[in-house]
Amino acid sequence: MSGRRTSFYRLPDAGSQGLTSQASLRIALLGTIALALFAIVFFRLWFLQVLSGDRYLAEANSNRVRDIRVEAPRGEIRDRNGFTLVHNRGSWQVQVDRRRWGIYVGKKHNLVVSDGGFAPVLTRLSSVLGEPRGDIKRRIEDSLEEIPFANPTAAIDVSYKSVVAIRERQSDFPGVSVTQTFERDYPHGNIGAHLFGYVREVSGDQLKSGDFEGAKQSDRVGQDGLELTYDRYLRGRSGTQRIQVDVADRQRGQLPGVKPRTGDSLRLTLDLGVQEEGERALRLAAGGYSVHGGAFVAMDVRDGAIRGMGSFPTFDPDVYTGVLKRSTYRQLTSKSNGAPLTNRAIAALYPAGSTFKPITAVACLESGISTPGTVIVDGGKMKVGNQTFENAGEFAYGPVDLASALKVSSDVYFYTLGQRAGLKGGNIIQKWATRLGVGRQPGIDLPGAAEGLVPTPQWRNEQRRKLKGDPYRPEPWTLGHNVQLAIGQGDLQTNPLQMAVAYAAIANGGYVVRPHLGLRIDNATGQVIQDIDQPARRRVNINPRYRKSILDGLYAAANLPGGTSADVFAGFPRKVAGKTGTVERVGQRDQSWYVALAPYPNPRYVVAVTVEQGGFGAETAAPAARLILAKLLGVKGKQQFVRGKSRSF
Amino acid sequence: MPTAEIPAQTLDPTGVAAGVKRFRDDFAASAVRGFDWPLVGAAVGLIVFSLIVLHGATRDDIPGSPDYYLLRQGVFASVGLVLMGLLARFDYAHLREWRSQIYAFLIGSILLVLVVGSAARGSRRWIDVGFFQIQPSELGKVLIIAVLAAFIVERVRDRDAMRLTLGVLALAAAPAALIFLQPDLGTALVYGAITITLLFVAGVPWQHMAAIATVVALLGTLVLWAAPAAGVNVLKPYQVDRLTAFLHPNEDPSGQGYQQAQAQIAIGSGQRTGRTVDHATQTQLNFLPEHHTDFVFAVVGETYGFAGAALVLTLYALLLWRALRIMASARDQFGSLIAAGVVAILMFQVFVNVGMNIGIMPITGVTLPLLSYGGASLVVTFIALGLLQSVAVHSRGPRIAGNPLN
């Protein structure tokens, strides 16, 4: 041992004392410092792991867990026989993270991208998708304009090859995501286009409004048509795919998520065959003029179940897939194209022409103004006040009762009823028309149905008050207006659906039905979940004797020699009762109308058809109705579009 | 039994048995006796724990070789253990005699690194010698202890405390400055910790300690705040960021604060008993950066929870307690100072690294001795422990009155 004498150490052999007190103190201090540091570390660990452990565990989980929304397939829409009208097809879409790149639409509808780093991403995207940059940019812009708060869609219906290309090189596509989605698909093309409406991502306002119960952000909801009315059944519930990612956001595993629930499917009262035939009939009636708009409704008179409803011109419902371009929308709504988007069966409004006459008849019969036997001499024209009203073509039919007046469509007969009703006062025709569903909301399960109008003196006074001093201020109400209303001309505003409802009420003994397309809800496996109950809205009393004489008159019109549509239905194997109508329109060809009830004498179906600029009722609307009736009544063989020769209104 | 009566010599005609016995006694006397077994136990416990933790944490780091880090750490640990055993037999007193050569080697090797060293992440710390790399600044930790201890023992009799203090500071400043220039701030700070601890234990006047503390505080303020504000960057901006990030962890969670935030999440999520290797998502999914080196403690915290972290800290406490005890029972002041230096290394590295992991210390890139992956750090730690054993083996005996740690 070579101990040294120092101020700090004593020689070991100098005594039992090894350390000076100074050295001991310093070593003890060092030990104390170590102890204190250990204590601090332990307290900190206790705080982190025991006291705040839950919070940190949650943070660790949110680090690694990504929830990806999985869209639920929407329910299908089928016709009454189970034929699919609307279903889904899987599709890939590319979306861009709006926040990451600071993308928004500027004041001049121009796309603004705050982050310059997006340009190369867009270029790569363009090459992967095989689409020009401009197209992708425009789609992002359109998508942002439509739903400003959501991540814009850069591409839809992307090929699987592109999907793989993007996913494999995700680091080249920061802020770009590929998601699977479902697009609505229409196996029958244009058929029923006006009924289905479309689906779109729910908007912020819609979410706030609470109209779409249970909808979450990014869910697609029905925005119009049946998709809207039955959205809560069709929608389904989106699920989540929960994946584990590493620090570079690469997927590293799958965690249990929530499976999406497919929407229930909607079974319609619609009959695909009738629908197809109806739309074909309208096309034939238009005779190649795309602007000769038309519409038809085929309905069960007993319960308002619609078997067919169409409007012409029509459109491809596929236009709603993805982003609807502004130019396309303009095209679909422009008048010069015949505004194909409009469902004329429920949303358009026209005078009904002579198809209104049975309604006038019901009103006058029930009010005691006339009886079925009341005979009026039709001299071809009549004078009311200082106005002269004429039959179409100034035909004079001589003495006619109700049935023969309906058969030949004598205007003078109904002018007279209109005159008498007007003189009696109390808006008799108007009241009955309204009772039967004309000029009021039909209560159909489709949005966008028009209310229409049955003109009354009160209505006219109201108009006059509103338009005081206006050069187009209408004249005061006169008896002549009532006379015009009696034959469905003038200010009357209605549409095929309302006429179908009114005729159905006459045919079924006074039940004003609630027209509907929804039949029942099936689940995804086809089991019935719920029938859609659509009770009649109200009952009006129609004397069976009056009903019979009106039906007889309509039957005669469609069958007996001299009947307005007898030549159209010549050789038709089923008994049809039907009324032609012709509306004079300023500066245009006449509008053709036909409303039929069949089979006579206990009608099951009503078919209402109108063709704008279709000429006389027997010329286009009646032949179209014949085609539809043939389908409805199961008439075998190929049916022709038989134009009638009657020039009667 | 009859054999008990036979004298040993008769059964050992060649004297081999006696030779073996003598050797064994000799060895026991010189090495095994006085060997501090609890210290060895703590060290082995830590290295075993290190292997377990590295096995779980790094199995996916290098595709195809899940045991890459485990095997290498195992080899380093074996080399380290052997070195420790050999050094225990070596009389540390020789280091005093070689102090000048040691110092020259220390400075020379660090200078060499600056000239021919390989750079990694902008820092020149290693000399590549083919199959492995040498990191002189790591070995330098032990060397500077020997040099400073020798210097102190030499001068302490002069009773000129000021010359002693300044001399020690000057000796240490040279290698520390060179290392700081590599740049390797963490290791340079270890040198600082060694220097201050040795001065403290050497018994320099309290006024000197107070003056050093003041200078350190002023220097820190200057370097971290005043100089950057004045446009003079003593430290690289990223170094300043790392050093100050822990003071405001929420300011830039994606920058320097990110690593520490992730380490805290990892440790906190371990809760009482840990998440097990498979469910330690912070580690396995790489949210925790540098999980085999600087942030290995966070892996322990996440995987084995408070229990695992406490076990590791307990082993370090055991290590430090034994080191302090050896320090107090050293044969002479030189031995005591060498032990003090090792204590300084262990204490500084453990608390700075763990503190960085738990968010109460800045990020300085200091490894956790025996637990972090890394050959240089591991081998040098074992060398330091070997010197400690040497001091223990050559101590005055197990029980000395006045040892504050008995």
Side-chain angles (χ1 to χ4, degrees), chain A residues 13-323:
Chain A
D13 44 68
S16 58
Q17 299 289 315
L19 294 167
T20 60
S21 61
Q22 170 73 297
S24 295
L25 174 68
R26 296 228 169 165
I27 293 173
L29 266 174
L30 207 55
T32 311
I33 292 169
L35 208 64
L37 291 174
F38 271 115
I40 291 171
V41 168
F42 267 99
F43 274 123
R44 177 70 178 169
L45 276 177
W46 182 263
F47 169 77
L48 287 178
Q49 301 192 289
V50 178
L51 300 183
S52 323
D54 292 337
R55 183 166 70 83
Y56 285 112
L57 186 61
E59 276 193 50
N61 281 333
S62 74
N63 254 345
R64 68 173 176 124
V65 173
R66 295 280 178 281
D67 280 343
I68 298 171
R69 196 177 154 279
V70 183
E71 196 170 315
R74 223 173 144 76
E76 298 188 349
I77 300 179
R78 303 201 181 91
D79 90 332
R80 65 184 301 109
N81 301 311
F83 292 111
T84 300
L85 303 174
V86 183
H87 61 177
N88 305 299
R89 74 187 149 78
S91 141
W92 295 94
Q93 66 178 20
V94 175
Q95 285 182 319
V96 178
D97 191 332
R98 185 174 53 93
R99 285 207 187 84
R100 168 160 191 159
W101 297 114
I103 299 174
Y104 59 95
V105 173
K107 283 199 182 101
K108 293 171 192 160
H109 297 286
N110 56 327
L111 192 65
V112 182
V113 182
S114 321
D115 194 326
F118 186 61
V121 175
L122 187 63
T123 308
R124 283 194 282 271
L125 213 50
S126 155
S127 79
V128 162
L129 298 171
E131 263 191 302
R133 281 171 56 115
D135 287 12
I136 298 174
K137 250 183 141 164
R138 209 163 304 120
R139 201 171 296 112
I140 293 174
E141 195 180 314
D142 286 343
S143 168
L144 271 179
E145 289 226 333
E146 199 171 328
I147 310 162
F149 64 90
N151 281 335
T153 303
I156 50 162
D157 275 333
V158 176
S159 74
Y160 191 69
K161 220 179 96 197
S162 307
V163 172
V164 172
I166 292 172
R167 288 210 167 154
E168 273 183 350
R169 296 188 292 136
Q170 189 65 61
S171 54
D172 280 354
F173 298 97
V176 173
S177 60
V178 187
T179 49
Q180 174 148 43
T181 161
F182 295 97
E183 297 293 352
R184 280 312 220 182
D185 192 36
Y186 307 91
H188 300 282
N190 295 357
I191 301 301
H194 293 95
L195 309 179
F196 308 129
Y198 61 100
V199 289
R200 268 281 178 290
E201 217 165 278
V202 66
S203 76
D205 290 341
Q206 285 172 334
L207 272 180
K208 266 184 246 148
S209 75
D211 290 345
F212 295 94
E213 204 191 321
K216 295 177 294 236
Q217 190 167 333
S218 311
D219 278 351
R220 295 199 193 190
V221 298
Q223 300 283 11
D224 199 359
L226 291 166
E227 299 274 21
L228 172 58
T229 307
Y230 294 101
D231 181 70
R232 67 198 184 99
Y233 302 107
L234 291 168
R235 195 192 313 136
R237 203 169 45 235
S238 58
T240 39
Q241 189 190 12
R242 185 160 270 211
I243 59 168
Q244 173 160 302
V245 295
D246 67 7
V247 66
D249 239 10
R250 279 184 299 257
Q251 183 171 347
R252 290 280 290 267
Q254 187 114 26
L255 302 165
V258 181
K259 275 197 176 155
R261 182 187 161 282
T262 307
D264 295 328
S265 52
L266 172 66
R267 183 66 77 97
L268 298 182
T269 57
L270 205 76
D271 184 313
L272 177 61
V274 173
Q275 182 69 21
E276 281 175 330
E277 189 67 0
E279 296 198 18
R280 185 175 81 94
L282 290 180
R283 206 163 52 243
L284 291 169
Y289 293 99
S290 67
V291 290
H292 287 193
F296 81 95
V297 171
M299 188 175 82
D300 193 318
V301 300
R302 300 170 305 177
D303 59 2
I306 293 169
R307 294 301 171 94
M309 174 191 279
S311 179
F312 184 88
T314 185
F315 63 96
D316 184 350
D318 224 29
V319 296
Y320 287 116
T321 302
V323 179

Side-chain angles (χ1 to χ4, degrees), chain A residues 56 229 239 270 295 378 383 483 507 532 546 596:
Chain A
Y56 285 112
T229 307
L270 205 76
D378 180 352
K383 217 170 150 124
V483 170
I532 298 166
Y546 303 157

Side-chain angles (χ1 to χ4, degrees), chain A residues 602-616:
Chain A
N602 291 306
R604 173 144 187 219
Y605 300 111
V606 58
V607 174
V609 183
T610 187
V611 182
E612 296 169 15
Q613 308 193 54
F616 293 98

Side-chain angles (χ1 to χ4, degrees), chain A residues 4 7-9 18 24 26-27 37-38 41 44-45 48-50 53-54 59 63-64 245-247 252, chain B residues 96 200-201 203-204 258 262 264-265 267 271-272 281-282 284-287 301 306 313 336 358 396:
Chain A
R4 276 162 200 282
S7 63
F8 197 69
Y9 272 77
S24 295
R26 296 228 169 165
I27 293 173
L37 291 174
F38 271 115
V41 168
R44 177 70 178 169
L45 276 177
L48 287 178
Q49 301 192 289
V50 178
D54 292 337
E59 276 193 50
N63 254 345
R64 68 173 176 124
V245 295
D246 67 7
V247 66
R252 290 280 290 267
Chain B
R96 242 188 102 181
F200 178 73
V201 173
V204 300
Y258 171 82
Q262 293 302 332
Q264 278 186 62
I265 291 172
I267 291 173
Q271 297 187 303
R272 285 180 171 80
T281 56
Q282 287 288 101
Q284 300 297 336
L285 301 173
N286 289 326
F287 289 104
F306 184 75
L313 289 174
S336 183
I358 60 181
R396 287 163 292 147

Side-chain angles (χ1 to χ4, degrees), chain B residues 322-343:
Chain B
R322 296 315 293 185
L324 285 166
R325 197 172 174 281
I326 290 168
M327 185 178 149
S329 62
R331 176 178 63 190
D332 48 22
Q333 193 189 13
F334 186 59
S336 183
L337 286 172
I338 284 183
V342 178
V343 166

Side-chain angles (χ1 to χ4, degrees), chain A residues 514-542:
Chain A
R514 184 190 290 269
H516 59 272
L517 283 155
L519 178 63
R520 63 165 200 256
I521 304 296
D522 298 338
N523 69 13
T525 57
Q527 284 161 311
V528 181
I529 292 178
Q530 180 182 339
D531 283 308
I532 298 166
D533 204 19
Q534 303 281 13
R537 313 192 74 192
R538 57 185 175 273
R539 170 91 203 267
V540 293
N541 277 314
I542 299 175

